[in-house]
Amino acid sequence: MKNFVMFGQNPLFGDYADLIHAMGGRISRVVVNVPDPPRENQKSFADRLAEYNSWLAANGDPTPAEVVDLEEFVPDPEETAVLGFRGLSSRPLRKRLKDEFGIKFPPLIHPNAFVSPMSEVGEGTIVCSMADMGSFARIGAFGVLNRCASMGHDTIAGDDVDISPNATLGSNIRVEDGVRVGLNSTIIEHLTLGEYCFVAAGAAVIRDVPPGALVAGVPAIVKKQRD
C-alpha cells in the first residue's frame, strides 16, 4: 500500500482520505505548519484524525497516521505528497516545500472519475469520484474538480480553480486562475470566467463573468465586484 504525506489540512480531510484509499494508498503523515483554528459546530482536525485512525485500525491497519510539525519534517522518498488545503493561501507553503525539499505534488484522480485520455490534469490537482472531463479539457495546478462535477470538451481552467460538487461547465469555456464555481451551478458553453471570480451555488451563467465578480441567480447577475 502506498503511503501519502499530507501537507496542511482542512474540513475536506475525509474526501482526501477517500480519494487516497480509492487509489490503493493510505495517509501515513500529516505535516502541519499553523494551529488548527476552532470552528463552531464543526469537527476539529484532531477529531477527524482520530476517526481516521480508528477506521484504519478497524480495517486491519494498526499503524496510525502521525502528525508532524513542518519544522521537524524530514522527506521520505517512498511517500507521495498531497496538499491538504487549496487556494491562494497555500502558495507560500507550496513554494517553501519546493525550494527546501524539492517536493512535487502529482495530480490525484479517483478511479471512478472519467478523465478523457486527451485531457490534462495539472500538478497537485484533485479529481474526485464521478467527476467528468471531456476531450481536450484541461485544468491547471492545485485545483479541485469535485464529486460529480463536469468539464465539457475543450474547456480550459487555470491554476487554483475550485469546481464544486455537481457543477456543470459546458464546452469551450475559459476559466481563469483562482475561480470558484459553486455547488450545482451551470455555465453554458463559449464563456469566460474572469480570474478570482466566484459563481454562487445554483447559479446559471449565460454570459461572461468579469474578473473578481460574485455572480448569483438564474440567470446569474453580478452581485458584488471586487477591485
Side-chain angles (χ1 to χ4, degrees):
M1 180 175 287
K2 182 181 292 186
N3 286 325
F4 284 73
V5 55
M6 178 182 289
F7 292 92
Q9 47 75 32
N10 70 10
L12 296 178
F13 176 84
D15 291 330
Y16 293 124
D18 174 69
L19 173 58
I20 287 167
H21 280 268
M23 297 174 62
R26 69 185 300 277
I27 300 172
S28 58
R29 294 192 291 172
V30 180
V31 180
V32 297
N33 64 326
V34 294
D36 183 34
R39 299 179 178 91
E40 188 176 358
N41 299 321
Q42 291 190 36
K43 297 175 184 177
S44 68
F45 172 64
D47 293 333
R48 297 176 194 280
L49 188 64
E51 288 180 336
Y52 177 68
N53 285 332
S54 294
W55 179 85
L56 286 176
N59 285 272
D61 187 342
T63 306
E66 62 176 328
V67 177
V68 180
D69 189 274
L70 179 59
E71 302 307 321
E72 300 174 354
F73 170 68
V74 177
D76 181 344
E78 298 300 317
E79 290 178 326
T80 300
V82 59
L83 193 67
F85 67 105
R86 305 278 133 177
L88 302 181
S89 61
S90 71
R91 286 181 174 176
L93 176 60
R94 283 150 39 184
K95 184 177 187 305
R96 179 177 178 184
L97 293 172
K98 181 178 180 180
D99 292 347
E100 290 189 20
F101 305 111
I103 296 291
K104 295 181 179 180
F105 294 90
L108 303 182
I109 301 173
H110 197 289
N112 287 341
F114 174 77
V115 176
S116 166
M118 292 171 282
S119 63
E120 181 179 337
V121 179
E123 178 189 8
T125 287
I126 290 175
V127 179
C128 296
S129 176
M130 306 303 292
D132 189 300
M133 289 184 69
S135 58
F136 301 105
R138 185 170 75 240
I139 184 169
F142 299 102
V144 178
L145 185 63
N146 220 312
R147 296 183 304 278
C148 300
S150 63
M151 297 175 64
H153 67 82
D154 298 290
T155 286
I156 307 299
D159 297 338
D160 298 297
V161 167
D162 188 334
I163 302 173
S164 295
N166 295 299
T168 300
L169 281 68
S171 60
N172 286 288
I173 294 171
R174 295 298 176 266
V175 183
E176 296 183 351
D177 291 352
V179 170
R180 296 183 64 190
V181 179
L183 184 78
N184 290 319
S185 57
T186 301
I187 296 91
I188 68 168
E189 61 187 8
H190 299 291
L191 296 183
T192 296
L193 305 183
E195 61 180 1
Y196 307 115
C197 75
F198 182 88
V199 177
V205 180
I206 62 172
R207 56 181 62 89
D208 292 346
V209 178
L214 165 63
V215 298
V218 181
I221 60 174
V222 174
K223 297 290 188 178
K224 186 176 181 181
Q225 180 68 58
R226 293 180 298 175
D227 295 333

